[in-house]
Amino acid sequence: MKEEKKNGITFKLIWNIIMFVIYLGIAYLIAFTPVLLPYNYRGNDPHDDFVIPRIVLGVGVTVYALFRGYRLLKERK
């Protein structure tokens, strides 16, 4: 028996879209805000000790989010 491919909206589709958006949001929080990785621990020092780790982690999470988005689009076709 052949199984027909469902083209409707499923829980898996909605979950993947939500996770894509969440990963992009986390990447933004890591790279551009001090929410997840603080700029510094000294409080008033303008030097950012964590600029390289924040950028590397932000890019890594962004790449993973884009990979999930690609898989989502590939699965829908």
Side-chain angles (χ1 to χ4, degrees):
M1 274 184 130
K2 284 186 177 179
E3 291 185 24
E4 293 182 22
K5 187 175 180 181
K6 295 181 181 179
N7 290 331
I9 296 175
T10 62
F11 176 75
K12 184 177 179 182
L13 172 67
I14 293 172
W15 179 257
N16 285 332
I17 291 171
I18 289 171
M19 291 307 294
F20 172 74
V21 171
I22 286 174
Y23 280 122
L24 284 180
I26 289 173
Y28 174 80
L29 288 175
I30 289 173
F32 299 112
T33 67
V35 173
L36 297 179
L37 288 176
Y39 286 129
N40 59 35
Y41 288 112
R42 293 181 282 281
N44 58 0
D45 187 11
H47 179 69
D48 186 3
D49 294 333
F50 295 106
V51 69
I52 301 293
R54 282 191 305 110
I55 291 173
V56 169
L57 285 173
V59 167
V61 174
T62 301
V63 168
Y64 182 68
L66 293 175
F67 173 69
R68 282 191 70 115
Y70 168 75
R71 281 191 350 203
L72 176 67
L73 290 176
K74 184 178 173 186
E75 184 178 296
R76 293 294 293 168
K77 290 183 179 183

